[in-house]
Amino acid sequence: MQTETISHPKNAARFIETVRARAPRGFTEAVKRAAQANQLSTSEFVRRAVAGAIEQSAAKAEEIGGSIG
C-alpha cells in the first residue's frame, strides 16, 4: 500500500495523509454504495472499515501473545 502526505486546506489539521490501494474491478463502486447506505462519505466509510480491521487484528494478536505496530 502506498501512502502520500498531502495537505488539504479544508481539513489539514485533522487528516494529513492520503492512502492509496489497488482493488479489484467494481470495488470503488461497491464502497460508494455501502457508504451511501450508511449515510457516510466514502472517505469516512473507508476510515471506519480500516480502523475496525486494525482493531480486530490487534485484538487477535494480543490473544496469541503478539502485537501490531
Side-chain angles (χ1 to χ4, degrees):
M1 186 176 296
Q2 177 184 15
T3 64
E4 300 173 13
T5 302
I6 300 172
S7 179
H8 298 284
K10 188 168 97 175
N11 56 9
R14 189 161 175 208
F15 302 117
I16 60 169
E17 293 184 346
T18 299
V19 178
R20 300 178 125 182
R22 293 183 181 264
R25 188 182 320 267
F27 185 79
T28 301
E29 189 57 37
V31 170
K32 286 179 185 178
R33 285 193 306 268
Q36 287 174 347
N38 286 280
Q39 298 180 344
L40 298 170
S41 69
T42 54
S43 293
E44 183 62 21
F45 182 84
V46 170
R47 276 191 292 275
R48 290 182 185 190
V50 171
I54 291 170
E55 288 175 9
Q56 288 179 347
S57 294
K60 188 178 287 187
E62 285 181 14
E63 287 177 12
I64 60 174
S67 66
I68 293 178

